[in-house]
Amino acid sequence: MVKKNSCVFISGAGSNLKVLIKNSREYNFPINISYIISSSPRAKGLIFARLYKIPYRVVNLNCNKSFELLLNELKKRKISLICLAGYMKILNKKFIRRYNKKIINIHPSLLPKYKGLNTFKRTLESKEKQTGCTVHYVNNKLDSGKIIIQKSVAISSSDNVETLKNKIQQKEYRAYSEAVIKVFN
Ligand code: GRF
């Protein structure tokens, strides 16, 4: 199968990145992770870029010029899908327009509920019985683009932020790869 070149953007631990890299090495998976962007040189997930020998760059997207440079780089590398995986920065409008319908993100809630930060804490405080994760297209509004896939998780009375995060992340690993397959179907 001819795989599409893809780039994963991270800021933190990179556990979703790791699963995407592993799955991308399966014959039938539609993408190849050929580039990684990190917002921070300290992102733990960069360990996977080094381990799997994938080119990466730490980029501070703080002005139009920096977005322009990155767009050129992604074009040169023929990147046709961008996967945000724990990426904590906001992309500018032009960047999103240029990659319209080709940027996807994973969020740890059943969107449209609990957009934004501190998702687990807010979910627990609201005494929800269930939550989950969502993979969605990225548009100009935070966590608001078209939903590609959702998976739900039951919340028990003993759950705290840590246990909930763990449960949801287990679902995320499957959800993200299934969403990538869906994008190319
Ligand atoms: C994930 O839980 C995702 O839902 C959120 O950020 C977290 C990233 O985790 N957007 P990791 O860096 O993939 O381990």
Side-chain angles (χ1 to χ4, degrees), residues 12-17 85-86 105-108 120 169 172-173:
S15 62
N16 279 282
L17 166 67
N105 179 45
I106 188 150
H107 184 76
F120 308 115
Q169 283 209 318
E172 286 188 346
Y173 302 147

Side-chain angles (χ1 to χ4, degrees), residues 7-179:
C7 179
V8 181
F9 283 35
I10 61 166
S11 297
S15 62
N16 279 282
L17 166 67
K18 180 185 173 193
V19 175
L20 282 173
I21 295 173
K22 286 195 162 172
N23 288 343
S24 72
R25 297 189 172 196
E26 296 293 325
Y27 179 76
N28 276 324
F29 203 64
I31 62 167
N32 159 44
I33 314 286
S34 50
Y35 200 37
I36 293 165
I37 292 294
S38 173
S39 61
S40 162
R42 287 175 302 279
K44 291 211 179 90
L46 285 175
I47 196 175
F48 302 115
R50 297 186 193 107
L51 187 66
Y52 292 96
K53 301 196 178 2
I54 299 171
Y56 68 90
R57 205 140 120 219
V58 176
V59 183
N60 185 9
L61 293 171
N62 58 357
C63 59
N64 284 337
K65 180 82 186 156
S66 57
F67 277 102
E68 279 300 322
L69 289 172
L70 180 59
L71 277 172
N72 287 338
E73 181 70 36
L74 297 178
K75 193 173 167 195
K76 231 170 47 195
R77 292 177 181 270
K78 298 189 168 43
I79 299 295
S80 46
L81 182 73
I82 294 174
C83 301
L84 307 184
Y87 184 69
M88 300 302 285
K89 302 283 175 182
I90 303 285
L91 299 171
N92 81 6
K93 282 190 182 154
K94 188 176 171 204
F95 188 93
I96 292 172
R97 204 177 333 118
R98 170 64 185 78
Y99 269 94
N100 186 30
K101 287 266 184 182
K102 288 174 181 159
I103 310 176
I104 63 178
N105 179 45
I106 188 150
H107 184 76
S109 76
L110 294 174
L111 290 173
K113 285 186 163 183
Y114 308 107
K115 297 174 182 176
L117 298 174
N118 300 319
T119 322
F120 308 115
K121 185 166 175 277
R122 287 186 291 133
T123 305
L124 288 168
E125 281 169 0
S126 301
K127 309 262 178 253
E128 296 280 359
K129 295 267 180 297
Q130 82 163 9
T131 181
C133 62
T134 305
V135 184
H136 64 93
Y137 287 103
V138 171
N139 65 12
N140 286 323
K141 284 199 195 147
L142 185 69
D143 300 327
S144 298
K146 188 169 176 249
I147 291 170
I148 303 165
I149 224 169
Q150 290 189 306
K151 286 197 186 289
S152 50
V153 164
I155 303 178
S156 73
S157 53
S158 60
D159 271 325
N160 55 41
V161 167
E162 240 356 83
T163 58
L164 197 56
K165 180 179 170 189
N166 287 340
K167 280 202 238 177
I168 292 178
Q169 283 209 318
Q170 292 311 313
K171 295 275 178 171
E172 286 188 346
Y173 302 147
R174 283 188 24 232
Y176 218 150
S177 293
E178 285 177 25

